[in-house]
Amino acid sequence: MTGTTKIFTLIMLCLTALSGRVAAQQIAPYKFDFGGGLGMSGYLGDASTNIFKRPGFTADLGARYILDTRWAFRASLSTTGLSGDTSDISDILPDGANYSFTSQVWDLSVRGEFNFFGYGIGETYKRLRRWSPYLAVGIGVSMATSGGNTAVAPSLPMAFGIKFKLKERINLHAEFSMTKVFSDHVDGRDLADLNQIKTDFYKNTDWFSRLTIGISYEFGKRCETCHYVD
């Protein structure tokens, strides 16, 4: 079992265990929200073993379908600047070579989010909280451009964060995410297999991280007392 599979399995087990403890979910008053975030990015791959070594800029826009006070599904588009230099790592490359890169990654993803607490504002008996930690996991596709080269590959985003409801329809969030891209070309085609050791595509791949803060606005109010006429 690969490291990525272990992480993915652990997250899914946590979500299953947590959701199993909630017998009945509270209906959220609004169906959708829309917002974005800004923050710092990091890179983990052939040219770096420390995601905080050469931070970049990242931004995203996203729309969320709010299933209830615990669950939501979010689609997002993000742009992330990455950079790295093999002089930052302890490995000695063949012929004493040194490589550096800068790249821009565009990532489109869809993910599920689980709030640890019933998230919202309401009467005491509803047991809602204005803040909640959350976990998220999903699927996506990433496009990286570096040095005139472009690479497209599927991706696996995983995130942990905290939400705070500033007002009934306005949410703030802080989030840390790691995205595994199933490609070794996020850092450019020149940085693939630097040690000249071939391996499986799912092992020798790149990661990028995002540490963001953001805001979103809810809309699409649900009907609480709807009456239907045949």
Side-chain angles (χ1 to χ4, degrees):
M1 181 180 290
T2 66
T4 304
T5 305
K6 291 179 181 178
I7 294 172
F8 181 78
T9 303
L10 179 61
I11 290 176
M12 294 307 298
L13 288 174
C14 288
L15 294 179
T16 302
L18 288 169
S19 61
R21 297 177 60 184
V22 184
Q25 308 294 347
Q26 291 284 349
I27 300 300
Y30 294 93
K31 298 178 184 178
F32 311 102
D33 82 353
F34 180 81
L38 301 172
M40 180 181 74
S41 61
Y43 156 79
L44 187 64
D46 294 298
S48 176
T49 57
N50 183 348
I51 59 175
F52 302 109
K53 184 69 174 180
R54 296 176 182 269
F57 172 78
T58 184
D60 71 80
L61 289 174
R64 182 181 285 108
Y65 175 70
I66 305 168
L67 186 62
D68 52 45
T69 59
R70 292 285 185 125
W71 287 96
F73 297 94
R74 185 173 190 259
S76 67
L77 175 65
S78 67
T79 182
T80 303
L82 303 178
S83 63
D85 194 311
T86 56
S87 63
D88 296 333
I89 62 178
S90 58
D91 292 354
I92 298 176
L93 301 177
D95 301 323
N98 184 72
Y99 302 90
S100 63
F101 82 96
T102 59
S103 69
Q104 194 70 29
V105 179
W106 294 87
D107 186 76
L108 179 65
S109 65
V110 178
R111 70 187 195 184
E113 296 179 353
F114 177 77
N115 300 321
F116 282 68
F117 307 135
Y119 179 63
I121 296 177
E123 293 80 358
T124 304
Y125 74 88
K126 294 182 178 180
R127 298 181 180 178
L128 300 177
R129 300 195 186 188
R130 296 182 67 164
W131 67 278
S132 178
Y134 65 91
L135 288 174
V137 64
I139 56 174
V141 60
S142 297
M143 181 181 72
T145 58
S146 177
N149 296 314
T150 299
V152 179
S155 60
L156 177 64
M158 296 165 279
F160 172 79
I162 186 167
K163 300 174 182 177
F164 176 74
K165 191 166 283 293
L166 186 64
K167 293 184 178 181
E168 183 184 18
R169 301 171 68 173
I170 300 177
N171 307 284
L172 303 177
H173 72 264
E175 178 181 287
F176 176 76
S177 68
M178 290 292 295
T179 299
K180 180 179 179 64
V181 184
F182 291 90
S183 167
D184 197 26
H185 302 303
V186 170
D187 45 21
R189 296 188 179 278
D190 293 338
L191 270 71
D193 303 320
L194 295 184
N195 290 297
Q196 300 177 12
I197 300 174
K198 295 294 182 181
T199 186
D200 295 321
F201 83 97
Y202 58 85
K203 293 181 180 179
N204 192 25
T205 53
D206 297 320
W207 294 72
F208 64 87
S209 67
R210 303 177 68 245
L211 180 61
T212 59
I213 56 174
I215 187 170
S216 65
Y217 179 78
E218 296 181 11
F219 60 97
K221 189 172 180 63
R222 283 188 167 91
C223 179
E224 298 179 358
T225 57
C226 295
H227 302 282
Y228 297 95
V229 178
D230 293 331

